Amino acid sequence: MGTYTRYPLRITKGKGCWVWDQNNQKYLDAVAGIATCSLGHSNRAIASALTKQLKKLQHISNLYSIPEQEELGQWLVQNSCADSIFFCNSGAEANEAAIKLARKYGHTKLGIKEPIILSAEESFHGRTLAAVSATGQPKYHSGFEPVVEGFKFFKYNNWESFIKLFAELEERSSDVVAVLIEPIQGEGGVRPGDKTFFKHLKSFCKEKKILLIFDEVQSGMGRTGYLWGYQSLEIEPDIFTLAKGLGGGHAIGALLAKKSADIFTPGDHASTFGGNPFACRAGLTVAKEIQKRNILNNVKQRGDELKKGLSRIKQQFPNQIQEIRGLGLMQGLVIKEDLLLTSQEVISAAIEKKLLLVPAGSKVVRMVPPLIIKKQEIYELVKRLQEAFKVLV
Ligand SMILES: *Cc1c(COP(=O)(O)O)cnc(C)c1O
């Protein structure tokens, strides 16, 4: 179906941070399957673990205990603030599950009949109906109304706007069950969360006894230089969701909750494919490699180098570039608002320089390369982007 506008490229193979098209042209990949191929393309550990798993057991369903699922669940519990996990297959699905959990929490714990969830403007939570309704970007709602009820929006990182929204809800403010928010906004413009704002948010949720839900679909699993984006803000959510980087390029999503927030009982939620042995083996391999290869350290160092490199490009093109922002290997180059130049034009120019980039809205160029990227490859990335800008201006 006509759901995608695609770049004129056919990618046929990949290795590490590089991919090749059908004419054997080689590109440096700062997209990584949109922040999913965290260990790079054709990673050997993943290939070997998954080949073994394919020969052992591929799918069995959640009618039975699944050892690989238990092992990945245990790793996630041991390495995060969560106590329990529900596995699914994508980010949108993980957020759907979080929304259901929050609504049930409202009904059963808070006695709320028509729960409201607060979400941020410019957020992105996925394309299924409830997830898209929770997404604070009208362009994604257009044509699909009526959207799912029960979502209200405040300005990201803006405490005044949050308080104002709460006040405007008047008597319905007591129906608020949760706040759903990204610790660093991704698709909506690569905007890191403000520590002070999030501290206020955390105390507010605690005081009102409502749930703080983090969408870590993009920021989770090491992308920011921390294992979890919430660590960069020095607060813990009650619930968070994962997907993108978790499977290193394979479809897996997860809903994670602290004990106090996990009120699902048998029959409340389910997924046929969720947490299957193959997907969980992929997740386990990514988890083990992150630890074994000290990948978080690489993300911090390469992220700093990338930010410095991008700042040099900004100095060279001060009339075009507004700002460089991001965390770790999730960086955005913001184009000046009043210019005609769009992120798509920068990305097309970068393709000519054999560099792959992804937009985060019409004015932000997003860089989310594999977490294993090397110093030399960061240098190449910056050089190619700089050459693309030279052609554009
Ligand atoms: C990509 C993304 C989603 C949606 O994930 P899908 O796997 O495409 O459904 C949700 N939230 C955030 C923050 C994302 O970056």
Side-chain angles (χ1 to χ4, degrees):
M1 293 192 180
T3 52
Y4 301 105
T5 21
R6 299 181 200 262
Y7 298 107
L9 280 185
R10 267 173 104 76
I11 304 297
T12 52
K13 68 174 183 183
K15 185 79 205 156
C17 295
W18 301 87
V19 294
W20 285 260
D21 71 8
Q22 60 180 14
N23 303 320
N24 218 24
Q25 295 282 328
K26 187 182 175 189
Y27 299 80
L28 179 57
D29 183 10
V31 181
I34 316 191
T36 63
C37 305
S38 30
L39 302 181
H41 297 284
S42 312
N43 175 270
R44 269 162 72 185
I46 291 189
S48 119
L50 289 187
T51 309
K52 257 192 225 147
Q53 189 64 50
L54 283 174
K55 291 177 183 165
K56 194 176 168 201
L57 184 66
Q58 298 176 9
H59 179 67
I60 189 68
S61 92
N62 286 297
L63 294 169
Y64 316 100
S65 305
I66 301 169
E68 294 79 8
Q69 186 185 116
E70 286 167 3
E71 210 184 319
L72 178 58
Q74 252 148 27
W75 188 89
L76 289 168
V77 163
Q78 277 159 12
N79 289 281
S80 79
C81 66
D83 301 302
S84 51
I85 325 261
F86 174 86
F87 286 105
C88 51
N89 313 283
S90 68
E93 254 183 273
N95 288 331
E96 291 281 331
I99 292 164
K100 278 182 73 177
L101 183 58
R103 283 188 169 192
K104 188 174 181 201
Y105 189 90
H107 285 287
T108 60
K109 290 266 182 183
L110 307 174
I112 292 168
K113 288 201 180 70
E114 290 181 46
I116 293 175
I117 296 174
L118 307 183
S119 173
E121 288 175 13
E122 314 292 333
S123 60
F124 186 80
H125 300 298
R127 302 296 206 111
T128 54
L129 200 51
V132 89
S133 303
T135 293
Q137 300 190 58
K139 67 176 183 194
Y140 290 130
H141 296 173
S142 172
F144 303 105
E145 299 90 348
V147 293
V148 174
E149 303 180 46
F151 296 99
K152 302 280 178 198
F153 301 92
F154 57 88
K155 287 193 170 59
Y156 192 71
N157 280 345
N158 186 326
W159 187 243
E160 241 168 63
S161 160
F162 183 88
I163 291 298
K164 188 161 160 265
L165 170 63
F166 212 80
E168 280 166 4
L169 285 171
E170 297 183 344
E171 68 268 25
R172 287 224 63 199
S173 66
S174 58
D175 289 341
V176 173
V177 290
V179 179
L180 170 62
I181 191 165
E182 296 154 275
I184 163 172
Q185 287 190 325
E187 197 273 348
V190 194
R191 214 170 278 110
D194 175 71
K195 254 189 211 167
T196 312
F197 172 82
F198 274 86
K199 284 242 154 71
H200 285 315
L201 193 58
K202 173 76 191 177
S203 338
F204 186 89
C205 290
K206 209 170 160 188
E207 189 196 307
K208 300 270 181 202
K209 299 189 169 53
I210 61 177
L211 299 169
L212 181 56
I213 309 174
F214 274 10
D215 178 346
E216 294 245 19
V217 167
Q218 192 162 160
S219 57
M221 274 320 256
R223 175 58 57 192
T224 64
Y226 299 89
L227 197 49
W228 318 115
Y230 67 74
Q231 293 169 301
S232 72
L233 296 168
E234 294 164 8
I235 56 164
E236 288 180 356
D238 302 296
I239 293 173
F240 67 100
T241 54
L242 296 176
K244 289 195 168 86
L246 180 56
H250 297 277
I252 182 169
L255 164 69
L256 299 90
K258 289 198 181 198
K259 205 186 214 141
S260 52
D262 171 20
I263 46 138
F264 273 163
T265 53
D268 276 345
H269 199 50
S271 166
T272 301
F273 284 118
N276 70 63
F278 183 81
C280 288
R281 178 61 67 199
L284 266 171
T285 311
V286 172
K288 284 179 189 162
E289 288 293 298
I290 284 180
Q291 276 174 330
K292 198 171 98 192
R293 296 170 60 180
N294 201 0
I295 282 176
L296 294 182
N297 203 34
N298 191 62
V299 177
K300 285 196 186 95
Q301 287 179 14
R302 302 293 88 78
D304 282 350
E305 289 158 11
L306 178 56
K307 195 165 221 157
K308 279 190 193 127
L310 294 174
S311 302
R312 282 198 302 276
I313 301 182
K314 178 179 175 284
Q315 276 168 14
Q316 199 179 345
F317 302 97
N319 298 327
Q320 283 74 31
I321 301 170
Q322 177 72 38
E323 180 185 11
I324 306 300
R325 63 188 182 211
L327 274 180
L329 286 173
M330 188 170 170
Q331 295 289 337
L333 179 150
V334 187
I335 300 160
K336 290 221 155 139
E337 195 55 47
D338 52 354
L339 285 189
L340 285 176
L341 186 66
T342 64
S343 50
Q344 289 297 0
E345 286 167 303
V346 175
I347 288 163
S348 295
I351 289 178
E352 296 298 316
K353 301 295 173 192
K354 304 283 183 290
L355 169 65
L356 304 186
L357 303 166
V358 57
S362 62
K363 286 289 179 180
V364 183
V365 179
R366 178 168 37 155
M367 277 144 273
V368 281
L371 307 185
I372 47 107
I373 193 168
K374 298 186 184 89
K375 195 182 176 107
Q376 177 60 29
E377 290 163 335
I378 293 285
Y379 174 82
E380 265 307 314
L381 194 171
V382 172
K383 196 175 103 189
R384 289 176 189 210
L385 183 55
Q386 186 179 32
E387 283 166 4
F389 262 97
K390 274 187 203 153
V391 176
L392 281 170
V393 302

